């Protein structure tokens, strides 16, 4: 790629792994990104419309599958809106169980993200470590809910499964193990110079821009915005739990990493309180089959940020309108801003840093040389390799670290 | 079977390279596929390796129902793969359309677009099921 060339890279049109599949069209000058255009709407399954054709109970099943990584977030958010319309007071125990599953989900999601981030910067050992630790949470979720992903624990009016005493002990045991591992990751993130060099100052989003572009979740919190639905508008049991909203002032990918790993510690704290304070009592109240006419908007702090569901009911057993605004949608505008005037080599990690469920490895990118009309196809894989090689030339190399940590006794 | 074919089949079974393609899945099946490749389940011990380019891969692992936008891409990726090629459909959606059946933007399961060699049901298919499916596919190649 020669510096004098200006060219345009359409990336996509689908990022198959995203909740809201996006298409990035990137204008480049040399190695610098001039601007990014984002288009949404690929990979669209039509869940909102499908919800209108199904009953509320069937919708829970469907809504969980908006995203497999934040499935509990979406189903809780949906159900909270329904419960508000139907004026249902759900039992305290159900609230605590929802909180417990929600926090376990946050842990699995943040660990997953940490691994993906490691992969994007060429630190694959980190991917293997975090994904192995993540299995501890997956086992717990499978034990508590019966499924590793898409837990189906929610029902209108409460939850479907109880947490036994033995299970509560298992949760505490697992949390201890995870806490130790998380401290290890915090150690890596704060002392390992390759990581700091690679992440510090990359994908900058200033405090003002984060507010202006309405960033949500860890993306916003890493720019010093103390925005967290769990504290601002408590739902489930969060109102009676104590925890800190983690923020950071690095305003960059490094900050986002710190926010996420530190949030893991908060999640452990929350889970310990939940297990300790969980009141006895019934699991659910009886919900009517037909939900009275009305509308409600519900908010939920998903691992990636604020999730929002709007429901309008018309007194039948099916909703009239369901609207879902998932956190990634709120964050894509911020990504556009973060990429501007940055190097192409930083693109993978900047996009991954908003955590758009970037788990798929295959993407086709085609490069149009604007001035020569030549066309070149770059695969995501190649961009990934390019990015790692570029940084290696600039002195950031994970090869040694990968080798060293491999034998570190885990 | 002549000796050349035998050697080829042997080599193929020892190192099947896969490419993962999400055709509209909810992500759950995808993270389970990745989980199957990471240390706990370690699909790599069967020689399975995840590749990024369709031309390098022997097996196309698909997850999710086929959305209308992705249909032609799926066909194209399938065409780019070198013969002999196999397709594994991971998850109920990929097998039949699953929970999204009837949505206006959904074509159906993977087999509504390209031929499928192995179906792994489950919502999401657990890593154990994915390993089982992959191993069964490899075993069937021996014949
Ligand atoms: S089978 Fe289930 S988990 Fe897999 S993509 Fe479909 S809805 Fe998601």
């Amino acid at each position: 790629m020669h510096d004098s060339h200006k060219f345009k890279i359409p990336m996509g049109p689908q990022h198959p792994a995203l909740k809201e599949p996006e298409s990035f069209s990137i204008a480049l000058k040399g190695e610098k990104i001039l601007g990014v255009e984002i288009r949404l709407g690929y990979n669209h399954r039509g869940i909102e419309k499908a919800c209108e054709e199904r009953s509320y109970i069937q919708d829970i099943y469907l809504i969980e599958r908006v995203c497999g990584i934040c499935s509990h977030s979406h189903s809780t958010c949906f159900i909270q809106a329904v419960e508000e319309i139907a004026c249902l007071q759900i039992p305290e125990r159900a609230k605590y169980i929802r909180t417990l599953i929600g926090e376990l989900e946050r842990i699995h999601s943040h660990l997953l993200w940490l691994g993906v981030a490691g992969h994007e910067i060429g630190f694959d050992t980190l991917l293997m470590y975090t994904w192995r630790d993540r299995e501890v949470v997956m086992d717990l979720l499978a034990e508590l809910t019966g499924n590793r992903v898409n837990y189906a624990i929610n029902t209108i009016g409460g939850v479907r499964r109880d947490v036994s005493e033995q299970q509560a002990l298992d949760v505490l045991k697992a949390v201890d193990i995870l806490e130790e591992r998380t401290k290890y990751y915090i150690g890596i993130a704060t002392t390992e110079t390759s990581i700091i060099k690679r992440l510090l100052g990359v994908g900058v989003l200033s405090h003002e821009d984060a507010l202006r572009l309405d960033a949500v979740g860890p993306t916003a919190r890493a720019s010093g915005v103390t925005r967290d639905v769990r504290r601002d508008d408590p739902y489930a049991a969060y109102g009676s739990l104590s925890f800190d909203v983690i923020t950071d002032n690095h305003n960059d990918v490094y900050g986002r990493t710190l926010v996420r790993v530190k949030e893991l510690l908060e999640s452990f704290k929350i889970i310990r309180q939940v297990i300790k304070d969980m009141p006895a009592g019934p699991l659910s109240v009886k919900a009517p089959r037909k939900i009275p006419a009305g509308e409600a908007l519900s908010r939920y702090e998903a691992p990636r940020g604020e999730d929002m569901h709007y429901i309008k009911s018309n007194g039948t057993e099916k909703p009239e309108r369901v609207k879902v605004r998932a956190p990634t949608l709120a964050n894509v505008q911020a990504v556009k801003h973060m990429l501007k005037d940055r190097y192409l080599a930083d693109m993978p990690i900047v996009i991954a840093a908003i955590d758009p469920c970037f788990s798929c490895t295959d993407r086709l990118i085609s490069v149009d040389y604007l001035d020569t009309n030549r066309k070149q196809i770059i695969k995501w894989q190649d961009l990934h390799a390019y990015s790692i090689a570029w940084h290696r030339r600039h002195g950031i190399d994970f090869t040694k670290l990968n080798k060293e940590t491999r034998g570190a006794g885990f | 079977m002549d000796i050349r074919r035998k050697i080829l089949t042997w080599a193929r079974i020892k190192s099947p390279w896969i490419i993962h393609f999400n055709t509209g899945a909810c992500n759950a099946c995808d993270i389970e596929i990745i989980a199957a490749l990471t240390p706990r389940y370690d699909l790599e011990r069967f020689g399975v390796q995840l590749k990024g380019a369709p031309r390098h891969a022997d097996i196309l692992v698909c997850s999710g129902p086929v959305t209308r936008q992705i249909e032609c891409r799926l066909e194209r990726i399938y065409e780019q793969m070198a013969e002999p090629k196999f397709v594994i459909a991971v998850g109920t959606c990929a097998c039949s359309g699953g929970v999204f059946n009837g949505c206006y933007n959904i074509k159906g399961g993977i087999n509504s677009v390209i031929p499928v060699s192995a179906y792994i049901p489950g919502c999401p298919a657990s890593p154990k099921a994915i390993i089982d499916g992959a191993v069964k596919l490899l075993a069937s190649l021996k014949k």
Side-chain angles (χ1 to χ4, degrees), chain A residues 65 150, chain B residues 25-30 63-65 90-94 99-100 122-125:
Chain A
R65 281 147 184 85
N150 294 342
Chain B
C26 77
N27 268 331
C29 279
D30 310 273
S63 54
V90 176
T92 309
C93 285
V99 62
F100 301 113
C123 187

Side-chain angles (χ1 to χ4, degrees), chain A residues 211-223:
Chain A
L211 288 174
R212 185 171 59 86
L213 298 167
D214 277 335
V216 294
T219 310
R221 289 197 285 274
S223 294

Side-chain angles (χ1 to χ4, degrees), chain A residues 16-17 44 65 68 139 148 362, chain B residues 22 26-27 32 40 52 104-105:
Chain A
H44 166 83
R65 281 147 184 85
D139 285 347
R148 284 166 53 92
D362 182 67
Chain B
N22 174 332
C26 77
N27 268 331
E32 293 296 67
R40 163 80 68 92
Y104 58 82
N105 208 29

Side-chain angles (χ1 to χ4, degrees), chain A residues 31 44 75 96 99 117 119 134 149 203 223 251 309 322 334 360 382:
Chain A
E31 285 179 341
H44 166 83
S75 77
Y96 274 78
T99 313
H119 170 73
R134 184 176 157 267
V149 190
S223 294
N251 301 355
H309 283 224
V322 177
C360 177
D382 295 338

